[in-house]
């Protein structure tokens, strides 16, 4: 079997694994929305559930950045963990004075939502590590696939390491945005799948662009 074909097959296999991790990360970010409340009839023993707790506001703070933007923060002490500071909206901040009790929704050991008197504030669950793993796999898969579809030209403007780093960075940012946006899975996965050939094409273009002059070794294999 030609070496180029091996690179192509390896790249596709690694990419599929990366997309599997991407789907798992998407479900992990949105799991709180679909989890039952602990202790209710729909909560299955041993399965993840949302634990309702009560916390007490112990401090308030307003931060203003150089652009004039304002951030409102409440520090809340709760039953099963140390006090933590949460970002809330202005109306939430105005109504929640120091000493009032707020409701906490705890999922998988972290506070996923703070609420009080009709106000709700979600705490971000940004999958940094999962996104990085996905980016590394998809980046490696894309680089190997591009290598399997083209032969490297000695005069190429970008080296394999530069192309791979660019793909990983693009995949990291893209997967973070798509996983945290929580659009319908079909839409999210469709955008990711359609974006992958674009990345491959860009990698192939970078690999086959060089100084003037014909070089049959640098043409795509198809």
């Amino acid at each position: 079997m030609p070496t180029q074909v091996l690179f192509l097959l390896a790249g596709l296999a690694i990419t599929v694994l990366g997309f599997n991790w991407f789907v798992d990360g998407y479900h992990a970010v949105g799991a709180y929305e679909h989890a039952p409340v602990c202790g209710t009839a729909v909560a299955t023993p041993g399965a993840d559930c949302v634990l309702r707790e009560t916390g007490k506001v112990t401090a308030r703070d307003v931060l203003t950045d150089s652009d004039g933007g304002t951030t409102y923060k409440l520090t809340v002490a709760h039953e099963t963990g140390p006090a933590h500071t949460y970002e809330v909206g202005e109306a939430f901040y105005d109504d929640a004075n120091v000493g009032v009790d707020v409701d906490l929704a705890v999922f998988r050991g972290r506070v996923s939502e703070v609420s009080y008197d009709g106000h709700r504030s979600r705490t971000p669950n940004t999958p940094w590590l999962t996104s990085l793993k996905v980016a590394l796999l998809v980046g490696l898969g894309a680089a190997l696939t591009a290598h399997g579809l083209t032969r490297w030209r000695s005069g190429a403007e970008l080296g394999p390491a530069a192309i791979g780093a660019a793909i990983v960075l693009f995949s990291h940012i893209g997967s973070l945005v798509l996983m945290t946006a929580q659009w319908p899975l079909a839409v999210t996965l469709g955008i990711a799948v359609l974006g992958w050939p674009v990345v491959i094409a860009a990698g192939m273009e970078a690999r086959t662009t060089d100084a003037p002059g014909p070089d049959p070794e640098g043409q795509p294999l198809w």
Side-chain angles (χ1 to χ4, degrees), residues 51-194:
L51 179 64
R52 298 295 187 183
E53 293 186 356
T54 300
K56 188 176 293 293
V57 176
T58 59
R60 306 186 334 146
D61 195 14
V62 179
L63 304 177
T64 303
D65 59 31
S66 57
D67 296 327
T70 304
T71 302
Y72 301 90
K73 294 180 178 291
L74 297 177
T75 299
V76 178
H78 56 100
E79 301 170 5
T80 60
H84 197 279
T85 300
Y86 304 98
E87 184 174 333
V88 299
E90 182 178 2
F92 195 149
Y93 178 87
D94 289 340
D95 288 349
N97 295 313
V98 171
V100 302
D101 290 334
V102 295
D103 297 320
L104 306 175
V106 181
F107 183 67
R108 292 177 178 173
R110 64 180 297 274
V111 175
S112 295
E113 184 175 270
V114 183
S115 57
Y116 172 72
D117 195 24
H119 304 294
R120 300 174 62 189
S121 178
R122 290 286 304 275
T123 61
N125 180 21
T126 307
W128 297 104
L129 183 58
T130 300
S131 177
L132 179 59
K133 291 178 180 178
V134 169
L136 290 173
L137 284 176
V138 173
L140 177 59
L144 290 175
T145 301
H147 186 80
L149 294 173
T150 61
R151 294 187 179 89
W152 186 261
R153 298 183 100 168
S154 59
E157 296 177 354
L158 295 176
I163 295 175
I167 293 175
V168 168
L169 178 61
F170 177 82
S171 301
H172 184 41
I173 296 173
S175 62
L176 272 178
V177 171
L178 291 175
M179 282 191 285
T180 55
Q182 287 295 291
W183 295 322
L185 179 59
V187 174
T188 300
L189 195 56
I191 294 173
V193 170
L194 290 175

